[in-house]
Amino acid sequence: MSDLLFYLYILGIFLVGVGSYKKIRGTKDFYVAGGNAGVIPLTGSLLATILGSSAIIGSVNFSTKNGWAGSWFMICAALGLGALYFLLERLKTFKGYNLPELLGCFYGPEVNKIASFVIPIAWTGIVASQIMGAAMIISKMTSITYSSGIWLSGLVFIAYTCLGGQLSIIKTDFIQFLFIIFGLLLCFIYTEFNYDHSNALPLISDKFGYKELVVMLLTYSTTFFVGPDIYSRIFCAKDLKTAKKAIILSIIILLPLSYILSSLGIHASALIGDRSVDSSLIFLIEEILPKSMAILMYFCLLSAVMSSADTTLLTASSMLTQIFIGDLKDKRSIGITRSFIIFLGIISIFIALKMQLILASIFLALSIYSGAFIIPTFLGILGYRASKKYVILAIFTGGGVALFGKIYGGQTGNIYIIFAFVLNAFIIGIPYISKKVRYKLVKNSNI
């Protein structure tokens, strides 16, 4: 029965892609869903994009080991969206389709092209991790093996993203968000009164201290107020007022979800004990929930993973297109982007077949991105301008140091990641600092 429901679900998603394909009239429809998304579809798409395998499977796993510290995933996302709310006024005049175009407006076409090349490399790892999450869920809810699930989920991502672009994503995201929220609420209500949370580790503990929180704020929270996937949602809004309302609604929903997901992880921890499991949440579903509710939860998780993968795949592919065609408003860009969706999707499938850890791969990708691009984008939005040579140096230096820190790991690795942001900001600020120093020298020489 679950196999049949799964195939019907996949068929429904694919048909949405086919229907959206017929409605695409130009690049605006393909890249930003016509720029006409209302509050409810935009909120659903924002939340569905945020609630991928890193947010649900990852944060529940994290809570199993670190207690209430798992709440920081959703809290950091809410903080990032809150910061974005106050930046929206400065973005309202931008007419482009993605973040590299925004960077190009600030610092020149060379920076646009660099961002369009570097970000997709990092984002391919994120797509792969979402495919891994989907395959894990498919193998649990159906008779399909894990490796076959990787191929099946990856090809489905590729197909409906390729067909309908952003129109497909906006429509499927809202449907998937309903699955996500309904499934999580039912699971939480069913399990909440069966376990005492009083012995769980607090938000800050020996296992997750303030230094780790700072790193999470820098590498995770910042991607929600200066992030390619989130901006791709915001650019779909029909106007500034709609975008602001969608952000407020998203924050209101994310905060209680931080408690719900952590609670599930803590509950799973009590049941797992010293055993080793791939996913705490899937273990909880199999051990606690009745079969009908377990099937619903599997669809909830599958929706969460798929809703993030399609957005990330389109975002990365559109960026690569800019390297070759320059302007995404050129009608030829749609065909090239579709080719890159297939190309990156297949690469992500092969990476997923080789990778083991979902959460680790996501944080590695986010570290590269955040160390390289958060500071330049944020300062650019605020109106600061620097020479492209300093911005390019800051991008590669910050991203490289953050990557080294993530690979190095531990407390020392965290210090490297924090230093990457400081170094990035310093390099970009060299022209400003030099100007101030020269001014003081001239002023003092006139005394």
Side-chain angles (χ1 to χ4, degrees):
M1 182 64 180
S2 58
D3 283 50
L4 176 61
L5 290 174
F6 167 72
Y7 286 117
L8 288 173
Y9 176 89
I10 294 299
L11 178 61
I13 295 295
F14 181 75
L15 290 176
V16 170
V18 173
S20 299
Y21 175 81
K22 296 177 180 179
K23 294 180 180 179
I24 292 175
R25 299 290 180 266
T27 59
K28 192 172 183 180
D29 291 330
F30 189 78
Y31 292 114
V32 292
N36 292 316
V39 174
I40 300 302
L42 187 61
T43 303
S45 188
L46 271 170
L47 289 169
T49 300
I50 294 168
L51 296 172
S53 59
S54 62
I56 296 180
I57 296 175
S59 64
V60 173
N61 282 349
F62 197 79
S63 296
T64 300
K65 296 179 180 179
N66 301 284
W68 291 111
S71 299
W72 285 115
F73 278 86
M74 292 299 98
I75 294 173
C76 284
L79 289 172
L81 289 180
L84 174 59
Y85 180 90
F86 295 101
L87 291 180
L88 286 180
E89 286 286 346
R90 294 179 175 271
L91 291 171
K92 65 182 179 181
T93 58
F94 178 66
K95 303 299 181 184
Y97 295 152
N98 59 34
L99 190 139
E101 284 187 301
L102 191 65
L103 284 168
C105 292
F106 298 153
Y107 307 114
E110 293 85 358
V111 176
N112 180 340
K113 289 186 182 297
I114 289 171
S116 295
F117 178 75
V118 175
I119 295 175
I121 293 175
W123 258 225
T124 301
I126 295 179
V127 175
S129 67
Q130 304 294 358
I131 292 174
M132 290 167 60
M136 183 192 302
I137 296 158
I138 291 170
S139 66
K140 295 292 184 181
M141 67 184 293
T142 70
S143 58
I144 300 170
T145 63
Y146 176 76
S147 58
S148 297
I150 285 178
W151 279 103
L152 179 58
S153 59
L155 291 175
V156 170
F157 296 153
I158 292 168
Y160 78 82
T161 306
C162 199
L163 284 169
Q166 206 68 258
L167 280 176
S168 288
I169 293 170
I170 286 288
K171 290 178 181 178
T172 56
D173 273 0
F174 184 70
I175 297 168
Q176 288 160 344
F177 167 69
L178 294 178
F179 270 106
I180 294 167
I181 201 70
F182 188 59
L184 285 176
L185 283 174
L186 275 182
C187 186
F188 172 71
I189 291 169
Y190 190 86
T191 61
E192 172 66 7
F193 302 106
N194 297 327
Y195 178 68
D196 182 10
H197 299 111
S198 59
N199 294 323
L201 291 171
L203 284 169
I204 299 295
S205 67
D206 292 338
K207 284 192 173 183
F208 187 86
Y210 289 105
K211 193 177 293 181
E212 287 78 13
L213 177 58
V214 170
V215 171
M216 184 178 283
L217 287 168
L218 289 175
T219 61
Y220 189 67
S221 185
T222 53
T223 61
F224 293 95
F225 75 89
V226 183
D229 293 335
I230 298 300
Y231 278 29
S232 71
R233 312 293 88 215
I234 295 300
F235 295 153
C236 293
K238 64 181 180 181
D239 54 38
L240 179 64
K241 193 174 182 180
T242 298
K244 285 186 173 182
K245 287 182 178 179
I247 286 176
I248 291 172
L249 279 175
S250 297
I251 292 171
I252 291 171
I253 294 170
L254 284 173
L255 290 175
L257 275 177
S258 68
Y259 177 84
I260 290 172
L261 293 173
S262 293
S263 177
L264 292 174
I266 293 167
H267 193 165
S269 177
L271 296 175
I272 293 169
D274 296 329
R275 285 175 286 182
S276 177
V277 298
D278 293 329
S279 168
S280 300
L281 184 53
I282 289 178
F283 176 87
L284 189 64
I285 292 169
E286 292 177 337
E287 291 290 320
I288 296 293
L289 301 183
K291 188 173 181 180
S292 58
M293 193 177 291
I295 291 173
L296 175 62
M297 272 303 298
Y298 282 133
F299 278 112
C300 158
L301 294 178
L302 185 60
S303 296
V305 174
M306 294 182 74
S307 61
S308 292
D310 52 16
T311 300
T312 308
L313 186 56
L314 178 61
T315 300
S317 300
S318 68
M319 291 178 186
L320 285 178
T321 300
Q322 287 179 165
I323 297 174
F324 296 93
I325 202 121
D327 187 1
L328 290 179
K329 295 179 177 65
D330 188 321
K331 288 185 178 180
R332 295 175 298 166
S333 69
I334 295 178
I336 297 173
T337 299
R338 283 179 170 144
S339 298
F340 276 123
I341 288 171
I342 297 171
F343 174 71
L344 290 179
I346 296 297
I347 289 177
S348 299
I349 289 173
F350 281 107
I351 293 173
L353 289 168
K354 299 295 182 181
M355 283 200 316
Q356 299 295 323
L357 299 175
I358 295 175
L359 197 59
S361 62
I362 289 175
F363 274 128
L364 183 65
L366 293 179
S367 295
I368 298 171
Y369 165 76
S370 57
F373 295 105
I374 293 295
I375 297 296
T377 308
F378 180 62
L379 292 177
I381 292 172
L382 294 180
Y384 177 77
R385 298 292 181 267
S387 170
K388 63 185 177 185
K389 65 180 180 181
Y390 291 107
V391 176
I392 292 170
L393 178 62
I395 286 171
F396 284 108
T397 304
V401 173
L403 174 60
F404 176 79
K406 196 63 187 177
I407 293 173
Y408 194 90
Q411 294 292 328
T412 304
N414 287 337
I415 293 172
Y416 277 117
I417 292 172
I418 295 170
F419 179 67
F421 284 80
V422 176
L423 187 59
N424 188 298
F426 175 77
I427 293 172
I428 292 179
I430 286 175
Y432 178 80
I433 296 169
S434 299
K435 184 178 179 181
K436 286 289 184 182
V437 171
R438 287 197 302 269
Y439 174 77
K440 287 184 178 180
L441 289 173
V442 170
K443 185 179 179 181
N444 290 336
S445 65
N446 291 333
I447 295 175

